[in-house]
Amino acid sequence: MNVIEVENLVKAYTDLALEVVAVDHVNLTVKKGEFTAIVGPSGSGKTTLLNMIGGLDKPTSGTIRVNNKDITQLNSKELINFRLHNIGFIFQSYNLIPVLTAKENVSFIMEMQGENRKTVDERVSEILTAVGLGDRMNSRPNQLSGGQQQRVAVARAMASRPQFIIADEPTANLDSKTTEKLLDLMEELNEKENITFLFSTHDQRVVNKARRIVVLEDGKVVEDNENIKQ
Amino acid sequence: MKEIIKIAWKNVWRNKKRSVTVVVAVILGISAGIFACGVMQGWVEQRIDAVIYIENGRIKLYNPDFLNNEEINNVIPNKEAVEHFLNKETVIKAFSERVKLMAMATTSRGSTSLMLQGINIDDEKKVSKLYTCLLQGTYFEEETSRPVLISDKTAEQLRIKNYVLTTEILDSLENTASIPNTVIASLRSIENIRFESENKMKKEISSLLDRKDVSKYGFDVLKMSEQYRLRSKIVFTFTDKQGELVNQIYKVCGVYKTANIMYDQSNAFVLKSDLSTIAGLNEGEIHETGIILRENANEENVQSAIKKAFPELSVLTWKELSPDASLVSEYMSIYLFIFVGIILFALAFGIINTMLMAILERTKELGMLMAIGMNRKRVFSMIMLETVFLTMAGAVAGMLAGWLLIQVTGMTGLNFSSFVDGFEAMGWAAIVYPTIDLFFFFGITVLVIVTGVLSSIIPARKALSLNPVEAIRMNN
Ligand SMILES: Nc1ncnc2c1ncn2[C@@H]1O[C@H](COP(=O)(O)OP(=O)(O)OP(=O)(O)O)[C@@H](O)[C@H]1O
Ligand SMILES: [Mg+2]
């Protein structure tokens, strides 16, 4: 079953009368439960592509279907709602609300999603324990290490089992050991909860963990290796 | 919504300096507004109170000619019928009939011209609170022949006000220890010496004490040494009914002082029986009737009722007799409105600024929140609520501070005499006892809160205008 279907996706920026095609006729399908890395040199269009798939940015042309729903047709209000209920996000940094504890950061989004108190409480401690922070639930972001903060972000993204999770360079600010741990964790959760991951990276070690690698160059998909065995 | 309230509340505590700034601004805004209101209201009420209960009464009756020409012959016509009417009207609480003659007051040292008012003590006490304004002596209580009540100002002009530091005063000063003993010791050299003007006393004190002590204690010492020569004789000269100049000697029984120097220097009081006889007026001839009404009576209604019954009389309300006081009471709300407006403007400016800074600081975080699915309504409410919390905290503290300020100063009074000299000359008290209506008290508070809430709209809108993609890219 295809969770994401991208067809002829184009994003062009006109900068000082100079047209930059950041994403150039990209076609891509992602199946449920896939663990996919988007790689490519800086400026190749990874972020732009992920932002459009995540409903943060509008394409110049082409379609994006999530579970057969064309999200390019949604207006901005519908898009926000769509993001809230269907997509988990992990950013490079500033993922968390500094005034809330780890637990509150996770439950906050579930409350916005309209989950009831009991579901929220159960799921929050389940997921935080799953990311290895069962004992740090009441810590504020500034009391956590960079790696721990990213794990809270993973927990938040996964909390209400979205259609897929988008992570744009989630490990860019982490050292290599922490990077590896985070990736292992993401992979484990991907298998255990069967959640689709789509992430971008520069980092070869991260690439090595992926089970599918999509290579972008100048906004075009130049390679797509599925079912890589490790 | 619960989660939004929670974040907004926690955000309040995030940048203490900023939050304190907003809260303090609100506190200052409210308490300053309330205080200014209180001072102004207290002032106006005191003035109106004085106008009604000391100077005029609420309504006064005259022979219309007397208003143009204060001559002895212009008496109120039909006095018995008027009296009968006033006694019958239930809204009329009391009235007092007066004989008024322009007179020259003379002592061996000075003279001044003033309005000599002949009154009936019992009636007058019901209408005028002047008897509460005595500095020394009594309100016609002593058994002397022909007593006169004069003002402090008149006593000065007639030079029957002296300045003496009696042994008694100095001894009691030594006991209270409000003034250092060294200063008292220096003052002993003018013990029991009588100075006939303030200036002479001032000069002497300045030469005895050093500068610092003069500025610290001089005023108090001067006030304490004030003394009136009670029972001094004053000659009043006026024209009697036949047009002849007559002289009559009165003895000072008391000295009064109101907040209105103009009133003080032009009014002296004697017994109506003393004055009428020598002026050749008979029992029924009076020049003025001062009337006070029951608490919630409408003075305009009473005025027109009297006018209707006695078209030949001039019937004037206090508003017509002291137009300055009524004008200011009408304009008070406009002044207050302008003043509070300025405060609110400054407050709005401050809140908008600090909250915009807060938004700027949190651009990335707000971008992230919008990206993960926080909708416009939630973002807007979050920012609004934060400001509302701050404003509310400030409002409660500000109301308390303002209320306390009014209570304390309302009891001690605020002395403006050292700042401005002219107030009393215009009839406005130099010592103000602030007071505030609940209407103004809550009105100002509500205005400040509304301003706080309205000014939070701009920062909240600013947050909405953020583009999450750009905000997030900032940190990539
Ligand atoms: N808002 C914009 N206006 C103009 N050009 C843009 C804008 N955003 C991105 N671009 C351009 O689009 C191209 C793709 O950028 P993008 O950020 O998607 O690349 P990336 O692969 O994510 O790079 P990196 O690895 O450095 O994050 C770049 O050439 C970039 O300069
Ligand atoms: Mg990028």
Side-chain angles (χ1 to χ4, degrees):
Chain A
M1 196 186 99
N2 291 339
V3 180
I4 304 167
E5 289 170 324
V6 173
E7 244 170 65
N8 270 328
L9 196 66
V10 176
K11 179 73 179 183
Y13 294 107
T14 355
D15 230 5
L16 300 166
L18 195 82
E19 190 168 80
V20 179
V21 184
V23 170
D24 195 354
H25 294 90
V26 166
N27 291 291
L28 183 73
T29 45
V30 176
K31 290 196 201 63
K32 178 132 188 79
E34 273 189 356
F35 196 66
T36 307
I38 306 221
V39 299
S42 184
S44 56
K46 304 183 292 292
T47 298
T48 310
L49 177 61
L50 288 183
N51 281 349
M52 286 191 291
I53 295 175
L56 289 170
D57 215 352
K58 291 240 168 196
T60 311
S61 67
T63 55
I64 304 162
R65 280 191 296 275
V66 174
N67 275 343
N68 274 326
K69 183 180 181 140
D70 187 353
I71 66 166
T72 56
Q73 300 301 316
L74 299 179
N75 65 30
S76 61
K77 204 173 157 187
E78 292 165 334
L79 263 180
I80 292 180
N81 207 29
F82 182 82
R83 292 201 299 266
L84 178 64
H85 291 283
N86 297 281
I87 310 174
F89 288 91
I90 304 167
F91 302 103
Q92 183 181 322
S93 55
Y94 292 99
N95 267 301
L96 307 177
I97 303 167
V99 293
L100 300 185
T101 63
K103 193 169 140 187
E104 290 165 340
N105 261 288
V106 180
S107 56
F108 170 63
I109 192 163
M110 294 187 74
E111 277 158 12
M112 282 205 298
Q113 284 158 341
E115 303 285 358
N116 67 44
R117 182 83 258 152
K118 193 162 160 269
T119 320
V120 173
D121 285 346
E122 281 171 13
R123 178 62 174 163
V124 168
S125 42
E126 176 189 34
I127 196 73
L128 278 171
T129 311
V131 299
L133 291 172
D135 54 344
R136 302 303 302 271
M137 295 213 279
N138 294 316
S139 303
R140 294 267 187 90
N142 61 5
Q143 298 164 323
L144 298 171
S145 71
Q148 287 171 327
Q149 288 180 30
Q150 287 306 74
R151 281 196 258 160
V152 178
V154 171
R156 184 199 51 204
M158 301 200 44
S160 45
R161 301 186 180 86
Q163 300 292 334
F164 61 91
I165 288 175
I166 283 185
D168 191 9
E169 310 206 28
T171 60
N173 289 345
L174 305 179
D175 60 41
S176 53
K177 215 170 143 196
T178 323
T179 296
E180 195 165 325
K181 274 198 196 153
L182 189 75
L183 256 294
D184 286 341
L185 173 73
M186 282 164 61
E187 215 177 347
E188 186 192 321
L189 292 169
N190 161 255
E191 274 172 14
K192 206 161 82 186
E193 304 222 354
N194 196 27
I195 286 175
T196 315
F197 271 86
L198 189 59
F199 56 95
S200 75
T201 187
H202 264 122
D203 190 332
Q204 193 53 44
R205 286 175 311 241
V206 175
V207 177
N208 291 342
K209 298 271 177 191
R211 266 180 257 115
R212 177 183 174 189
I213 299 168
V214 177
V215 183
L216 274 188
E217 239 168 65
D218 280 339
K220 294 191 185 73
V221 177
V222 292
E223 247 187 272
D224 190 346
N225 304 316
E226 292 186 53
N227 298 320
I228 299 167
K229 288 273 184 268
Q230 282 165 32
Chain B
M1 205 60 205
K2 226 174 77 192
E3 71 279 0
I4 301 295
I5 296 172
K6 188 169 163 186
I7 296 203
W9 176 248
K10 294 205 165 178
N11 276 338
V12 165
W13 302 102
R14 160 167 208 182
N15 183 335
K16 302 240 164 61
K17 213 160 145 193
R18 176 180 52 78
S19 301
V20 166
T21 310
V22 174
V23 171
V24 167
V26 174
I27 292 178
L28 286 181
I30 292 187
S31 52
I34 287 177
F35 186 59
C37 245
V39 170
M40 204 160 310
Q41 196 181 327
W43 215 19
V44 170
E45 277 181 10
Q46 271 167 256
R47 171 69 182 136
I48 290 173
D49 222 55
V51 164
I52 293 177
Y53 292 107
I54 295 173
E55 295 170 26
N56 289 326
R58 291 242 274 206
I59 295 176
K60 276 184 174 178
L61 310 181
Y62 294 101
N63 176 334
D65 292 335
F66 186 81
L67 292 173
N68 302 325
N69 184 1
E70 291 166 340
E71 261 198 60
I72 189 161
N73 288 315
N74 295 330
V75 296
I76 292 183
N78 249 337
K79 188 209 138 194
E80 270 73 33
V82 176
E83 245 175 29
H84 186 72
F85 180 90
L86 296 180
N87 276 324
K88 224 177 52 199
E89 279 289 327
T90 49
V91 289
I92 291 173
K93 201 169 158 192
F95 63 93
S96 173
E97 298 169 330
R98 301 163 190 141
V99 170
K100 292 178 95 171
L101 295 179
M102 279 305 296
M104 194 71 191
T106 324
T107 62
S108 54
R109 297 201 193 84
S111 67
T112 179
S113 80
L114 42 68
M115 181 61 83
L116 200 55
Q117 302 206 29
I119 53 169
N120 179 325
I121 304 166
D122 293 334
D123 292 344
E124 187 71 12
K125 265 188 156 175
K126 286 181 203 146
V127 172
S128 164
K129 286 188 190 159
L130 190 72
Y131 64 89
T132 62
C133 305
L134 288 198
L135 292 178
Q136 272 177 32
T138 63
Y139 190 80
F140 302 103
E141 273 158 27
E142 261 172 272
E143 287 287 330
T144 49
S145 59
R146 290 205 291 272
V148 61
L149 181 70
I150 59 168
S151 70
D152 162 69
K153 190 74 193 167
T154 308
E156 227 168 71
Q157 286 165 336
L158 296 178
R159 305 257 172 150
I160 47 183
K161 181 177 183 178
N162 294 146
Y163 298 82
V164 200
L165 277 175
T166 58
T167 314
E168 231 171 41
I169 293 174
L170 287 168
D171 286 351
S172 75
L173 271 181
E174 248 166 18
N175 292 333
T176 55
S178 55
I179 295 178
N181 279 342
T182 50
V183 174
I184 296 172
S186 322
L187 291 173
R188 289 274 182 203
S189 63
I190 52 169
E191 188 169 331
N192 292 329
I193 298 178
R194 199 172 276 273
F195 295 89
E196 63 168 4
S197 78
E198 198 177 86
N199 270 337
K200 286 182 182 162
M201 178 85 170
K202 255 189 207 160
K203 243 190 220 158
E204 204 57 39
I205 293 179
S206 316
S207 70
L208 287 174
L209 306 179
D210 59 42
R211 257 244 194 82
K212 230 178 68 212
D213 289 334
V214 170
S215 62
K216 223 168 161 183
Y217 309 111
F219 184 77
D220 290 340
V221 170
L222 209 62
K223 279 280 146 222
M224 267 181 291
S225 62
E226 280 179 359
Q227 220 184 49
Y228 304 91
R229 288 170 178 250
L230 293 176
R231 275 172 240 92
S232 294
K233 287 177 184 157
I234 302 175
V235 179
F236 287 96
T237 312
F238 46 87
T239 318
D240 73 3
K241 217 173 166 203
Q242 278 70 45
E244 299 289 333
L245 268 186
V246 288
N247 292 326
Q248 199 175 16
I249 296 174
Y250 286 84
K251 269 192 205 159
V252 177
C253 68
V255 177
Y256 73 89
K257 185 178 193 302
T258 71
N260 187 349
I261 290 182
M262 277 224 291
Y263 176 84
D264 285 5
Q265 69 184 4
S266 51
N267 286 287
F269 297 84
V270 298
L271 299 180
K272 187 168 144 227
S273 48
D274 289 343
L275 191 57
S276 294
T277 338
I278 189 91
L281 292 166
N282 62 41
E283 179 62 20
E285 290 179 309
I286 53 158
H287 300 111
E288 173 186 289
T289 305
I291 299 170
I292 59 164
L293 307 177
R294 295 203 185 281
E295 200 51 49
N296 36 29
N298 180 321
E299 56 219 7
E300 273 81 18
N301 287 350
V302 179
Q303 181 189 30
S304 49
I306 302 176
K307 258 187 185 160
K308 206 170 145 216
F310 303 98
E312 70 279 15
L313 288 185
S314 273
V315 186
L316 302 174
T317 64
W318 65 272
K319 288 178 187 161
E320 293 158 320
L321 290 160
S322 300
D324 64 307
S326 76
L327 205 67
V328 172
S329 81
E330 266 164 45
Y331 280 88
M332 177 179 79
S333 23
I334 295 177
Y335 292 139
L336 283 178
F337 193 73
I338 294 170
F339 185 80
V340 171
I342 293 169
I343 291 180
L344 293 182
F345 188 79
L347 189 67
F349 190 78
I351 290 179
I352 290 172
N353 244 333
T354 28
M355 289 312 288
L356 276 180
M357 296 271 283
I359 302 300
L360 215 65
E361 272 170 25
R362 295 180 210 160
T363 303
K364 289 165 188 171
E365 183 184 325
L366 286 167
M368 179 275 293
L369 284 170
M370 288 158 107
I372 67 170
M374 190 172 193
N375 63 26
R376 293 170 64 86
K377 211 174 103 192
R378 290 190 171 116
V379 173
F380 192 79
S381 326
M382 183 174 76
I383 305 294
M384 284 275 285
L385 276 174
E386 185 177 342
T387 320
V388 169
F389 284 144
L390 288 170
T391 313
M392 288 299 199
V396 172
M399 278 166 81
L400 212 73
W403 185 80
L404 275 177
L405 219 57
I406 299 266
Q407 290 304 308
V408 171
T409 54
M411 243 143 61
T412 59
L414 284 175
N415 196 337
F416 286 100
S417 58
S418 44
F419 298 107
V420 198
D421 254 347
F423 283 157
E424 287 189 306
M426 296 184 297
W428 294 84
I431 297 178
V432 179
Y433 297 88
T435 170
I436 192 162
D437 277 351
L438 285 185
F439 174 77
F440 280 120
F441 185 75
F442 288 107
I444 288 171
T445 307
V446 166
L447 276 178
V448 169
I449 292 174
V450 167
T451 306
V453 172
L454 286 183
S455 5
S456 66
I457 290 177
I458 292 175
R461 285 179 62 114
K462 173 80 188 168
L464 286 186
S465 72
L466 285 176
N467 177 343
V469 176
E470 280 167 21
I472 291 160
R473 260 191 200 274
M474 278 171 64
N475 57 55
N476 279 355

